């Protein structure tokens, strides 16, 4: 009884803590900050200005507002959130994009009239390692044609100014000898984003037109802005179509086509005039935007599928590999032990995301292996390493006397392990193993770095459309919880099947017809 | 038949077995006794190769099982072992502990294994516990099950490594009864034990182990009633021994006095005996044997028997025949003679060589003279 009470008390505290966090999230934790109305106000040491990593707009900020502090964001959506919640005072970024965001429901912010700095030129970036001969020449030729016949101008008007989201019919060959792999981001409206489960946008149409013009079949891979240049550099993709600015640093490593788009730099500031609307309406509309509109729940489903695929395959292969290595090392083979210790040291000592990127860009850099396959390989190794150390500790905690007793009865070394030691190590092994499964499924959240659209990445994609953090993040968190719970449940079931601790007389004596025994 | 040839086992900082040679005949029931740390357990663990000997051979029915590549599982099936810590398989029920090895190794059918199991549990008095797990049993019950498990494999040889040492004193009896019953079965048995009465009761042969090997080997009557060798005798009689080597007139007598006191304290020797030991030592060494000391060292041993509550002091020395009774210091002799039970002198022209235990003194003196003092409370 007291035990039960303690649990409920613990749960109550947990519940209160959770609801506080949720309330805070909903309210956006707004802190008072003053309204910005003129450019002069921004040139102040108190001011924080956000820019996207690698967009080059930081140069503009340095020039125009030398006193302000620069904050870097992985993508624009995150920066939008930061401004609307008052964490930063302004964003300097492409004006048209920011205007589109406001038109599409981003609230609590205002775009200033002024444009600042030099206009940015975005282009298609071509990988130096592409296998398509003279891709740069072809892209430029295509761009010249498109510029000349007005296609490009019409596209800009349609996507960037009118935000008309209809993708025209473009006949891209299904199977062709030439295969064009294009890196894009999928999170920047209206250039490259998801409408429902469809990848679409200005850059996507451009890439489709390019592929059709070249007679090439087309494949998109989704990266973060952080990793997209590296992907092109290492030859994972042939080119980048992601409204990528031709900054001097990028031009050093990648060739850029003539501009696809010339962008003015605008400033977005917080609009403190807007009060928080009533919660229930806000919640309802957020929910609708996150899950229902454009059937976005399908994106979640796809993400769940990918996350589960990577997790389950890694668990299977990792367990097999870990067990195999453990068995090889068990008999004291010195070389095998050294090699294993070295690799587990290497794997355990590295942040998962770094390991993953090394696999993707360095080890498999030259081979066209999908991000999902690379993720499975990396997480298999990570899981195997954990399995090895868990096996080691659980097996070594079985009393030495058990081995001696088995040997003395005439068991061989192998039989001793499988019949006597392993069954006794398993009850110690399994709880740790289940914990490791939960850890693994969470760790897979970084696969977005290598162009895999898992659950977390899908959450990012949806956030980039709804301009709201709350529902996509909470949904992702809840789904991870559920997935982990389901997986550990399954493992527990299997565990019960292969090893039941308390066997009854009937279970022990199955297959012996001993009806007459008392 | 098991034959041990030049068996040696070295550890990094100890060599419990230096050179063991013996033959164990079929049907022998051997008790292995001796002080702790003399390699008793190591010896039987080397016989079934749970410890790999550093050198030498174990010949089991004509086959050298120490040879690299020899399939030990074959030999071990025929040599059961009972451990001090039982080592029942914790994940299996009592009956499964008996059944599984039969099925895994002897390839018996499940029902056959079950029948054997039930029969043997009955034999060790553990019927009705078939479906319990080992951690629900007492120590004595666990050991009885462990013995039954060993018997289930129908071995020719049974090695028992201190089977009752880990038990509560109240449970020793039940396990000993089972082992006694086993000893009558005609199987070859070797049992390491500290229980002297028990050891004597079950065996037909005793190994007293000391000095890195089987120090004395004999029938229980020989070993327990009339041990031939000094260390065996000390062990059997529960003697507590102090040795002092008085190497000349400059000997540190004060230090020796302190040492005698410490020895008496450690062995809880009654104070009156302690007093007399000191008196005897002083009178002998500082008075009566003074002339001898100038010529030759005197070796003094004090043995205290817990059983009889007596102490014996022996002073032995070489050189010419010298009986302290005939010495100049007759007053001292009279004083001592009165305060002790017995004071005797003997002369043996052959003399005793330095005992193995103090071989490290390197003396090659013949200890021809012996003064023996018997002290009783």
């Amino acid at each position: 009884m007291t035990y039960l009470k303690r649990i409920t008390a613990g749960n109550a505290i947990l519940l209160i803590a959770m609801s506080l966090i949720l309330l805070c999230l909903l309210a956006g934790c707004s802190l008072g900050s003053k309204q910005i109305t003129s450019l002069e106000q921004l040139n102040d040491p108190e001011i924080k200005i956000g820019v996207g990593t690698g967009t080059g707009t930081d140069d503009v900020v340095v020039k125009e507002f030398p006193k302000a502090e620069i904050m870097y964001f992985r993508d624009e959506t995150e920066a939008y959130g930061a401004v609307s919640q008052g964490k930063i005072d302004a964003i300097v970024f492409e004006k048209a994009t920011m205007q589109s965001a406001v038109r599409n429901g981003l609230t609590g912010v205002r775009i200033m009239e002024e444009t600042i700095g030099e206009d940015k030129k975005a282009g298609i970036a071509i990988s130096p390692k592409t296998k398509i001969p003279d891709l740069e020449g072809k892209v430029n030729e295509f761009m010249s044609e498109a510029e000349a016949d007005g296609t490009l101008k019409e596209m800009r008007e349609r996507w960037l100014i009118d935000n008309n989201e209809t993708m025209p019919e473009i006949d891209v060959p299904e199977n062709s000898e030439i295969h064009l792999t294009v890196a894009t981001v999928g999170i920047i409206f209206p250039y490259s984003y998801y409408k429902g489960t469809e990848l679409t946008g200005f850059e996507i149409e451009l890439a489709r037109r390019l592929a059709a013009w070249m007679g090439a079949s087309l494949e998109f891979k989704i990266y973060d802005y952080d990793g997209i240049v590296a992907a092109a550099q290492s030859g994972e993709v042939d080119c980048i179509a992601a409204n990528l600015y031709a900054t001097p640093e990028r031009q050093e490593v990648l060739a850029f086509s003539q501009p696809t788009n010339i962008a003015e730099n605008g400033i977005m500031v917080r609009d403190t005039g807007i009060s928080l609307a009533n919660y229930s309406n806000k919640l309802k509309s957020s929910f609708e935007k996150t899950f229902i509109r454009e059937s976005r729940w399908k994106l979640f489903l796809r993400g769940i599928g990918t996350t589960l695929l990577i997790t389950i395959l890694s668990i299977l292969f990792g367990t097999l590999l870990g067990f195999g290595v453990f068995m090889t090392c068990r008999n004291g083979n010195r070389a095998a032990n050294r090699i294993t210790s070295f690799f587990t040291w290497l794997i355990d000592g590295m942040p998962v995301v770094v390991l993953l990127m090394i696999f993707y860009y360095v080890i498999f850099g030259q081979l066209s292996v999908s991000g999902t396959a690379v993720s499975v390989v990396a997480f298999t190794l990570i899981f195997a390493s954990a399995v090895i150390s868990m096996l080691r500790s659980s097996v070594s905690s079985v009393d030495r006397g058990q081995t001696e007793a088995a040997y003395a009865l005439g068991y061989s070394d192998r039989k001793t392990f499988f019949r006597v030691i392993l069954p006794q190590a398993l009850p110690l092994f399994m709880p740790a193993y289940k914990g490791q499964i939960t850890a693994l499924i969470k760790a897979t959240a970084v696969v977005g770095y290598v162009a895999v659209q898992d659950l977390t990445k899908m959450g990012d994609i949806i956030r980039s459309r709804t301009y709201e953090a709350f529902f996509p993040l909470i949904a992702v968190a809840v789904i991870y919880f559920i997935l982990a719970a389901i997986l550990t449940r399954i493992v527990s079931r299997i565990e019960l099947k292969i090893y039941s601790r308390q066997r009854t007389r009937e279970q022990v004596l199955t297959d012996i017809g001993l009806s007459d025994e008392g | 038949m098991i034959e041990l040839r030049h068996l040696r086992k070295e550890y990094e900082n100890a060599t419990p077995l230096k050179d063991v040679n013996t033959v164990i005949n079929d049907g022998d029931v051997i008790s292995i006794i001796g002080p702790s740390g003399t390699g008793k357990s190591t010896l039987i663990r080397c016989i079934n190769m749970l410890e790999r000997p550093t050198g030498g051979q174990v010949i089991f029915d004509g086959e050298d099982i120490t040879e690299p590549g020899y399939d030990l599982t074959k030999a071990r099936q025929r040599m059961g072992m009972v451990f001090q810590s039982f080592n029942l398989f914790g994940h299996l029920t009592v009956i499964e502990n008996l059944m599984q090895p039969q099925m895994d190794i002897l390839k018996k059918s499940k029902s056959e294994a079950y029948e054997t199991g039930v029969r043997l549990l009955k034999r060790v008095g553990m019927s009705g516990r078939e479906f319990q797990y080992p951690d629900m049993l007492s120590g004595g019950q666990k050991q009885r099950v462990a013995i039954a498990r060993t018997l289930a494999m129908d071995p020719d040889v049974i090695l028992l490594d201190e089977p009752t040492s880990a038990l509560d004193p109240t449970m020793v009896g039940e396990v000993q009864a089972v082992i006694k019953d086993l000893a009558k079965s005609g199987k070859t048995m070797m049992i390491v034990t500290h229980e002297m009465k028990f050891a004597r009761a079950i065996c037909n042969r005793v190994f007293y182990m000391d000095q890195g090997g089987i120090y004395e080997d004999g029938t229980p009557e020989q070993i327990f009633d009339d041990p031939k060798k000094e260390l065996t005798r000390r062990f059997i009689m529960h003697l507590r021994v102090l040795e002092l080597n008085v190497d000349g007139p400059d000997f540190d007598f004060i230090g020796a006095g302190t040492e005698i006191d410490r020895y008496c304290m450690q062995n809880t020797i009654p104070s009156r005996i302690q007093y007399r030991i000191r008196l005897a030592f002083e009178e002998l060494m500082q008075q009566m044997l003074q002339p001898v000391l100038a010529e030759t060292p005197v070796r003094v041993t004090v043995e205290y028997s817990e059983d009889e509550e007596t102490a014996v002091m022996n002073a032995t020395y070489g050189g010419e025949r010298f009986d302290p009774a005939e010495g100049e210091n007759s007053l001292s002799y009279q004083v001592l003679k009165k305060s002790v039970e017995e004071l005797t002198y003997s002369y043996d022209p052959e003399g005793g060589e330095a005992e193995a235990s103090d071989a490290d003194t390197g003396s090659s003196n013949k200890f021809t003279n012996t003064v023996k003092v018997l002290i009783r409370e």
Side-chain angles (χ1 to χ4, degrees):
Chain A
M1 273 309 280
T2 43
Y3 181 64
L4 204 74
K5 268 184 198 156
R6 211 177 308 144
I7 282 187
T8 24
N11 278 354
I13 292 168
L14 209 68
L15 213 70
I16 291 166
M18 289 286 272
S19 9
L20 278 177
I21 293 168
L22 288 187
L23 268 175
C24 224
L25 274 171
L26 272 171
C29 281
S30 30
L31 303 161
S33 72
K34 60 178 187 261
Q35 180 75 53
I36 292 179
T37 49
S38 70
L39 292 184
E40 288 74 46
Q41 277 176 287
L42 288 171
N43 192 17
D44 186 300
E46 297 279 291
I47 292 289
K48 289 175 185 157
I49 299 177
V51 299
T53 327
T55 54
T57 45
D58 46 349
D59 292 349
V60 178
V61 176
V62 169
K63 218 185 218 167
E64 302 286 330
F65 314 115
K67 287 182 186 162
E69 188 186 342
I70 298 178
M71 310 285 281
Y72 289 90
F73 287 85
R74 229 155 56 103
D75 59 57
E76 286 66 39
T77 323
E78 283 176 15
Y80 295 160
V83 162
S84 68
Q85 290 173 3
K87 289 196 187 88
I88 56 173
D89 301 283
I91 308 173
V92 173
F93 187 56
E94 190 179 316
K95 197 171 183 183
T97 313
M98 295 196 294
Q99 282 167 337
S100 305
V102 172
R103 270 202 296 277
N104 279 277
L106 178 60
T107 53
V109 298
R110 195 165 54 78
I111 315 286
M112 296 179 75
E113 291 295 317
E114 295 88 344
T115 55
I116 54 166
E118 276 176 43
D119 292 349
K120 298 283 177 194
K121 288 174 186 158
I124 295 177
I126 292 115
S127 163
K129 289 191 176 161
T130 175
K131 295 196 181 69
I132 301 171
D134 191 30
L135 182 60
E136 188 183 354
K138 284 178 186 156
V139 171
N140 276 325
E141 199 183 331
F142 160 76
M143 289 292 292
S144 306
E145 276 182 30
E147 193 75 73
D149 66 11
T151 314
L152 218 46
K153 188 162 181 287
E154 183 271 329
M155 277 175 63
R156 284 191 197 115
E157 267 169 22
R158 180 156 43 86
W159 286 107
L160 311 184
I161 297 165
D162 301 341
N163 289 162
N164 176 345
E165 297 183 52
T166 23
M167 173 71 78
E169 285 288 320
I170 300 160
D171 201 12
V172 180
E174 284 284 320
N175 291 301
S176 164
E177 281 178 22
I178 316 171
H179 187 71
L180 186 66
T181 310
V182 178
T184 190
V185 287
I187 52 165
I188 174 165
F189 183 83
Y191 295 98
S192 166
Y193 66 97
Y194 276 86
K195 185 175 183 184
T197 56
E198 254 343 275
L199 186 62
T200 185
F202 172 82
E203 295 280 348
I204 306 303
E205 182 181 338
L206 195 64
R208 291 178 69 89
R209 282 184 191 276
L210 171 65
W213 181 84
M214 282 169 60
S217 52
L218 180 65
E219 181 195 347
F220 286 105
K221 284 191 178 178
I222 307 291
Y223 292 86
D224 290 333
Y225 271 115
D226 277 351
I228 202 162
V229 173
Q233 252 183 296
S234 67
E236 294 284 346
V237 294
D238 298 307
C239 64
I240 303 173
N243 195 40
L244 196 69
Y245 295 149
T247 61
E249 293 87 357
R250 286 174 181 163
Q251 280 172 313
E252 272 176 34
V253 292
L254 299 175
F256 273 82
S257 72
Q258 46 180 282
T260 51
N261 175 30
I262 293 173
E264 296 170 324
N265 300 310
I267 303 166
M268 178 187 278
V269 293
R270 188 175 187 214
D271 188 359
T272 51
I274 289 176
S275 66
L276 292 164
N278 85 47
Y279 275 150
S280 74
N281 275 349
K282 206 179 159 193
L283 273 179
K284 217 181 261 173
S285 88
S286 297
F287 183 83
E288 193 268 340
K289 271 197 272 183
T290 305
F291 295 107
I292 315 291
R293 195 179 294 175
E294 296 177 2
S295 307
R296 283 178 185 146
W297 55 272
K298 285 184 183 164
L299 284 177
F300 278 118
L301 277 190
R302 249 209 256 168
I304 291 170
T306 311
T307 293
L308 276 182
L309 178 76
I310 293 171
T311 308
I312 291 173
L313 287 181
S314 302
I315 290 171
L316 287 178
F317 295 150
T319 306
L320 289 177
L321 178 68
F323 196 79
V325 171
F326 174 80
M327 290 307 288
T328 319
C329 292
R330 198 175 73 84
N331 291 333
N333 182 329
R334 198 172 283 178
N337 267 302
R338 281 237 180 105
I339 296 169
T340 309
S341 303
F342 176 72
F343 275 104
T344 50
W345 172 77
L346 209 61
I347 291 166
D348 293 345
M350 227 185 288
V352 175
V353 64
V354 176
L355 182 76
L356 189 65
M357 303 240 276
I358 288 176
F359 267 97
Y360 191 67
Y361 293 118
V362 183
I363 297 172
F364 292 114
Q366 297 302 312
L367 309 162
S368 66
V369 180
S370 79
T372 309
V374 172
S375 303
V376 170
V377 171
F379 283 105
T380 294
L381 289 179
I382 290 168
F383 199 71
S385 162
V387 166
I388 292 168
S389 62
M390 290 185 298
L391 275 173
R392 273 189 183 155
S393 70
S394 58
V395 165
S396 69
S397 63
V398 175
D399 185 49
R400 171 81 198 152
Q402 298 286 316
T403 310
E404 290 190 345
Y407 282 171
L409 285 164
Y411 277 85
S412 66
D413 183 60
R414 236 186 126 69
K415 262 192 183 162
T416 299
F417 182 76
F418 283 106
R419 302 291 285 156
V420 176
I421 304 305
L422 196 59
Q424 297 190 66
L426 275 180
L428 300 160
F429 174 79
M430 290 314 291
Y433 184 72
K434 280 184 236 169
Q436 207 59 45
I437 285 175
T438 312
L440 178 75
I441 194 166
K442 288 186 289 180
T444 59
V446 299
V447 294
Y449 277 91
V450 295
V452 178
Q453 287 162 282
D454 70 324
L455 182 55
T456 303
K457 183 71 187 179
M458 287 306 187
D460 289 349
I461 287 169
I462 290 168
R463 277 198 297 145
S464 77
R465 294 302 313 283
T466 62
Y467 304 107
E468 277 173 350
F470 179 71
F471 261 107
L473 281 177
I474 296 296
V476 166
V478 168
I479 294 169
Y480 272 113
F481 265 111
I482 295 171
L483 292 184
I486 292 173
L487 284 184
T488 45
R489 259 288 164 78
I490 294 171
V491 173
S492 299
R493 277 284 166 82
I494 298 171
E495 184 191 0
L496 272 180
K497 277 236 167 105
I498 57 171
Y499 179 79
S500 64
R501 173 65 179 88
Q502 293 297 345
R503 284 178 304 280
T504 60
R505 181 174 189 275
E506 284 66 36
Q507 283 169 302
V508 173
L509 296 180
T510 43
D511 315 330
I512 311 183
L514 286 164
S515 48
D516 53 331
E517 285 288 332
Chain B
M1 194 178 79
I2 302 167
E3 194 184 343
L4 307 182
R5 290 187 192 152
H6 305 293
L7 197 69
R8 184 177 175 84
K9 178 70 190 177
E10 272 174 52
Y11 295 111
E12 229 165 77
N13 39 23
T15 307
L17 304 179
K18 283 179 185 148
D19 181 26
V20 178
N21 295 284
T22 193
V23 174
I24 296 145
N25 297 309
D26 289 344
D28 269 357
V29 176
I30 301 176
S31 290
I32 303 175
I33 59 169
S36 34
T38 49
K40 302 185 297 294
S41 290
T42 309
L43 178 71
I44 68 167
R45 288 165 61 85
C46 278
I47 289 174
N48 74 349
M49 296 285 281
L50 279 185
E51 301 277 356
R52 195 160 269 282
T54 320
Q57 293 160 308
V58 178
I59 316 286
F60 181 40
D61 286 348
E63 287 181 78
D64 179 3
I65 68 169
T66 55
E67 199 154 288
Y70 179 83
D71 181 12
L72 279 172
T73 59
K74 268 199 315 181
R76 283 172 177 161
Q77 275 174 45
R78 297 175 46 216
M79 287 199 266
M81 186 173 230
V82 176
F83 297 85
Q84 181 178 348
S85 50
F86 331 123
N87 297 340
L88 290 177
F89 299 139
H91 62 302
L92 300 177
T93 57
V94 165
I95 190 75
E96 285 171 303
N97 262 282
L98 272 70
M99 288 163 68
Q100 191 170 301
Q102 295 183 62
M103 287 150 65
D104 286 348
I105 301 192
L106 303 179
K107 308 289 175 207
K108 283 202 199 168
S109 75
K110 196 167 183 177
S111 55
E112 217 179 327
Y114 177 75
E115 270 160 37
T116 311
V118 168
R119 180 170 52 80
L120 288 168
L121 284 179
K122 197 170 177 188
R123 179 166 170 189
V124 299
M126 289 295 292
S127 285
R129 303 278 189 166
E130 282 84 352
F131 301 98
Q132 294 190 352
Y133 281 85
D135 52 19
M136 297 153 83
L137 305 180
S138 72
Q141 291 172 329
K142 281 184 200 171
Q143 194 62 296
R144 277 144 69 195
V145 174
I147 292 169
R149 178 177 67 177
T150 305
L151 292 178
M153 302 297 289
D154 194 24
D156 302 328
V157 180
I158 301 175
L159 308 169
L160 299 103
D161 186 4
E162 303 197 23
T164 58
S165 301
L167 296 178
D168 207 282
T170 56
M171 295 168 182
V172 171
E174 59 187 78
V175 174
Q176 286 183 345
V178 170
I179 298 171
K180 266 184 196 159
D181 169 58
L182 209 59
K184 291 177 204 145
S185 66
K187 283 187 195 294
T188 309
M189 277 172 64
M190 293 180 81
I191 176 164
V192 175
T193 184
H194 289 291
E195 313 273 341
M196 294 298 152
K197 267 193 198 158
F198 172 64
R200 180 173 186 160
I202 63 164
C203 70
N204 63 5
R205 193 172 164 194
V206 180
F207 288 172
Y208 172 76
M209 291 199 59
D210 210 328
Q211 304 286 324
I214 301 170
Y215 182 79
E216 193 166 350
D217 172 358
T219 64
E221 291 73 30
Q222 284 168 345
I223 299 288
F224 287 105
D225 297 341
D226 185 21
K228 290 281 171 297
K229 290 177 140 183
E230 179 61 23
L231 294 180
T232 318
R233 193 181 64 82
R234 286 184 191 168
F235 180 79
I236 298 293
M237 315 288 282
H238 293 274
L239 297 184
R240 308 285 172 213
V241 179
L242 174 72
E243 291 186 352
L244 294 160
N245 214 39
V246 185
D247 52 5
D250 300 333
F251 180 74
D252 175 13
F253 285 104
I254 299 172
T258 324
E259 213 171 313
I260 292 172
D261 287 346
R262 197 190 313 132
Y263 156 80
C264 292
M265 280 263 287
Q266 276 170 357
N267 299 301
T268 55
I269 296 175
S271 56
R272 259 186 261 169
I273 295 183
Q274 178 182 354
Y275 167 75
R276 286 177 192 144
I277 292 172
R278 284 202 63 160
L279 178 79
F281 184 72
E282 277 161 22
E283 295 297 335
L284 266 176
M285 301 316 299
Q286 284 169 287
Q287 305 293 336
M288 293 179 268
L289 295 179
Q290 198 67 4
V292 177
L293 266 182
E295 319 256 323
T296 170
V298 178
R299 203 179 59 190
V300 179
T301 58
V302 182
E303 295 173 353
Y304 176 71
S305 162
E306 271 177 21
D307 299 352
E308 293 168 24
E309 292 197 330
T310 56
V312 173
M313 180 183 288
N314 276 309
T316 54
Y317 46 94
E320 307 263 306
R321 185 189 171 96
F322 177 80
D323 183 351
E326 294 157 16
E328 290 169 10
N329 208 331
S330 60
L331 179 65
S332 272
Y333 186 83
Q334 292 308 323
V335 168
L336 188 57
K337 178 118 190 161
K338 269 190 190 151
S339 61
V340 301
E341 189 85 8
E342 261 179 62
L343 178 59
T344 51
Y345 169 79
S346 60
Y347 180 76
D348 175 11
E350 291 301 308
E353 286 287 346
E355 275 284 349
S357 60
D358 50 22
D360 52 342
T361 58
S363 84
S364 56
N365 277 342
K366 285 205 167 186
F367 292 92
T368 45
N369 299 280
T370 304
V371 179
K372 184 180 173 190
V373 184
L374 177 67
I375 300 163
R376 206 185 289 274
E377 190 158 3

